[in-house]
Amino acid sequence: DEAIARIDRVEPNAHPEDRLARLERAGLLRRSTTSISIDRLRDPVPRSQRSVVEALLEERLESR
């Protein structure tokens, strides 16, 4: 198994840019080279034709 996330405590006085820079230096974060319009975040979420549970069960069966 490989870790895909880590939860750390955030210091109350820590500046967000300092934290991002530290994660980037450690190779744990790569900042985007392009920007995204805030309007894109307001777009409706695409809907799937099947449930997430069905997709997960199918994936588990295929990987056996």
Side-chain angles (χ1 to χ4, degrees):
D1 291 339
E2 181 180 344
I4 58 168
R6 179 175 152 181
I7 299 174
D8 281 338
R9 182 171 61 113
V10 176
E11 297 299 326
N13 299 328
H15 191 276
E17 279 300 312
D18 295 341
R19 182 165 176 77
L20 290 175
R22 184 175 55 79
L23 292 169
E24 194 170 24
R25 282 192 306 273
L28 299 173
L29 173 115
R30 185 175 61 216
R31 297 185 200 215
S32 174
T33 57
T34 59
S35 61
I36 185 170
S37 166
I38 192 72
D39 293 332
R40 292 274 318 270
L41 297 175
R42 293 185 179 112
D43 288 347
V45 177
R47 297 288 178 191
S48 175
Q49 297 298 318
R50 61 184 193 177
S51 78
V52 173
V53 173
E54 289 172 341
L56 177 62
L57 291 172
E58 181 180 319
E59 182 178 306
R60 286 184 177 177
L61 287 172
E62 289 176 358
S63 66
R64 289 187 180 185

